[in-house]
Amino acid sequence: QVQLVESGGGLVQPGGSLRLSCAASGSILSINFMNWYRQAPGKEREFVAVITSESGTNYADSVKGRFTISRDNAKNTVYLQMNSLKSEDTAVYYCNAGIRTVTNVNSYWGKGTLVTVSS
């Protein structure tokens, strides 16, 4: 059984920063890509950032230059450093990862962490 658990969300003022973490646990042999997605109230879930197993990265245009994704392979953890936050960044942020276990390769999702940007 594989679990992804996000943490680090909360309330922050516009212009502030937050760092999200997502830790994967279970019978993991390897982790390929690790993504962050977000879903704002009344909107569809959208891609935020991805980091590959070779640490290649890509970002949504809306967060380029403000957000940084990174990973610690020894801890099976992905991070999202969010700077210069705007009200439109308010959303539930979800972690997603492609994980190989002893039985299969699958895409797993966390339950999300809420980020609220408000004064």
Side-chain angles (χ1 to χ4, degrees):
Q1 186 77 8
V2 172
Q3 281 191 320
L4 296 180
V5 179
E6 302 97 336
S7 61
L11 174 64
V12 62
Q13 292 187 341
S17 298
L18 278 178
R19 187 193 195 207
L20 305 183
S21 300
C22 172
S25 62
S27 301
I28 297 170
L29 293 182
S30 63
I31 301 177
N32 188 1
F33 60 85
M34 301 185 86
N35 291 315
W36 286 99
Y37 282 77
R38 67 185 181 186
Q39 187 166 17
K43 295 187 177 181
E44 294 187 353
R45 191 172 297 188
E46 64 175 3
F47 167 77
V48 175
V50 59
I51 185 165
T52 68
S53 56
E54 290 82 26
S55 294
T57 60
N58 195 22
Y59 298 90
D61 288 343
S62 59
V63 306
K64 276 182 183 176
R66 300 188 298 121
F67 291 10
T68 302
I69 190 171
S70 61
R71 64 191 285 173
D72 184 333
N73 292 328
K75 296 181 179 179
N76 289 336
T77 299
V78 62
Y79 305 97
L80 187 67
Q81 177 67 43
M82 306 186 295
N83 299 329
S84 303
L85 283 161
K86 306 175 181 180
S87 58
E88 51 263 44
D89 295 317
T90 294
V92 177
Y93 283 72
Y94 297 91
C95 175
N96 165 248
I99 296 176
R100 178 183 296 276
T101 67
V102 293
T103 55
N104 62 20
V105 178
N106 211 342
S107 177
Y108 294 88
W109 290 86
K111 294 183 178 181
T113 185
L114 177 63
V115 172
T116 303
V117 184
S118 175
S119 55

